[in-house]
Amino acid sequence: MDLTEIEAFLTLSEELHFGRTAERLLLSQSRVSQLIRSLERRIGAPLFTRTSRRVALTPLGEHTRHTLGAAYTSLRKSYDEACAIAQGVTGTLCVGFLGCLNGPPLTELMLDFGRRHPACEITVAEVPWTDPYGPLRKGEMDVVFTLLPLDEPDLKVGTVLVSHGRVLAVARDHLLARRDSVDIEDLADWVLLDGPAELPEALRHGFCPPFTPLGQPLRRGQGGRTYQEALHRVATGERVWTTHEGLFQTYAHPGVVHRPLTGLPPASGALVWRADAETAKLRAFTALGTQTG
């Protein structure tokens, strides 16, 4: 039995249109018709009724769609698993993420990878804000979805998967909370939260620069080893926080509001991994991320 005929049959049974079927299979319409006729000859009866206006499954075609469809799905899964094993995409892939980047596109990427590589198990864990790269260097994670910028010579950066607009987080009763938006040049009179002491300097300066684009010095104060601790500092009025809108898709504090912040580039998130620890499964995952990004 020719698998190409089965694939053409199953696709046509979904589309019920020779043109759309040909587009999906990257074949000509005449080739699709030839494959269907060949399969019908093998079976010994028509699987479709065809008129100038419509294509429909015959009762035998409906029965064949159910039985062949299940068998084809199982066969395709076995084939994909064999390919994954041959390519080394097996075992366990450990994926880490910063909590402020939880959700899509990481979730979608992991689901897509799981469908394509069923022989490889995926585990996921949040990495600490105080040490986003430590789990990579300790071998606890294969890849981490983290914020940029990054200045770590031993680590490689993949395609940017998400970019979030910048926001200023302030206490609900703060003077700046009355504004519709805030520019970075307006913050010279306030103390900015620049995160925990352990935060990598490139990341710290990217999110809380020492100077505005026009050269005004910005006062910065450390505080908060977790996102919730940082939000607490903001809620008390001790600090204002130049963060990003993606954080507020996951975290919230009743005493904190955020306003659009202009004058700083978007917050970008990308996959990061050790340059000396690439494997077939890691290359497959990061390559899929390149397609997603």
Side-chain angles (χ1 to χ4, degrees):
M1 186 177 293
D2 189 338
L3 290 180
T4 308
E5 294 175 358
I6 295 175
E7 189 173 10
F9 165 74
L10 292 174
T11 306
L12 182 59
S13 68
E14 292 178 12
E15 296 289 349
L16 297 177
H17 189 281
F18 278 88
R20 290 194 297 269
T21 298
E23 289 177 4
R24 279 182 56 180
L25 297 177
L26 303 179
L27 299 172
S28 66
Q29 291 190 45
S30 60
R31 177 58 178 157
V32 173
S33 297
Q34 181 184 31
L35 290 169
I36 296 301
R37 288 195 301 270
S38 176
L39 181 61
E40 288 175 330
R41 284 196 299 270
R42 290 176 188 274
I43 291 176
L47 300 173
F48 296 93
T49 58
R50 308 162 178 82
T51 69
S52 59
R53 294 185 177 181
R54 64 191 296 266
V55 176
L57 285 162
T58 64
L60 177 60
E62 286 282 4
H63 171 78
T64 305
R65 180 171 69 90
H66 289 294
T67 55
L68 271 184
Y72 179 81
T73 299
S74 177
L75 181 63
R76 187 75 204 187
K77 181 179 179 182
S78 297
Y79 174 79
D80 289 342
E81 287 180 353
C83 289
I85 292 170
Q87 297 165 9
V89 187
T90 58
T92 302
L93 181 74
C94 301
V95 180
F97 67 93
L98 277 180
C100 64
L101 294 177
N102 194 15
L106 180 63
T107 307
E108 296 163 356
L109 176 59
M110 293 178 66
L111 288 172
D112 194 7
F113 181 83
R115 286 190 293 266
R116 292 170 182 249
H117 303 287
C120 185
E121 180 185 358
I122 309 176
T123 65
V124 62
E126 183 177 356
V127 297
W129 190 24
T130 53
D131 189 21
Y133 318 133
L136 282 176
R137 292 179 170 132
K138 296 173 186 174
E140 298 170 355
M141 299 286 169
D142 296 300
V143 60
V144 168
F145 186 33
T146 186
L147 289 167
L148 302 178
L150 180 141
D151 183 18
E152 307 289 334
D154 61 321
L155 302 181
K156 293 184 67 173
V157 181
T159 303
V160 170
L161 298 183
V162 67
S163 289
H164 291 302
R166 299 301 295 274
V167 299
L168 182 73
V170 296
R172 188 171 292 277
D173 58 355
H174 197 282
L175 287 175
L176 294 175
R178 303 174 187 175
R179 299 193 184 185
D180 293 330
S181 65
V182 181
D183 189 81
I184 188 66
E185 300 292 342
D186 300 330
L187 299 182
D189 295 331
W190 310 99
V191 180
L192 278 59
L193 186 148
D194 70 349
E198 302 91 340
L199 201 64
E201 281 303 297
L203 190 56
R204 182 191 308 281
H205 288 174
F207 273 76
C208 186
F211 299 94
T212 71
L214 294 181
Q216 293 190 84
L218 292 171
R219 292 187 293 159
R220 302 183 300 167
Q222 294 175 356
R225 294 176 58 80
T226 68
Y227 295 113
Q228 291 292 10
E229 289 178 12
L231 287 171
H232 171 77
R233 288 288 187 94
V234 172
T236 62
E238 295 179 37
R239 305 278 193 270
V240 297
W241 190 11
T242 54
T243 183
H244 60 92
E245 60 188 3
L247 181 130
F248 290 95
Q249 296 174 9
T250 305
Y251 298 95
H253 189 292
V256 175
V257 296
H258 58 281
R259 299 291 180 259
L261 178 66
T262 57
L264 291 180
S268 299
L271 296 177
V272 172
W273 62 94
R274 282 173 50 196
D276 65 350
E278 288 194 357
T279 60
K281 58 191 173 186
L282 177 58
R283 285 192 292 270
F285 187 77
T286 56
L288 193 58
T290 299
Q291 297 174 26
T292 303

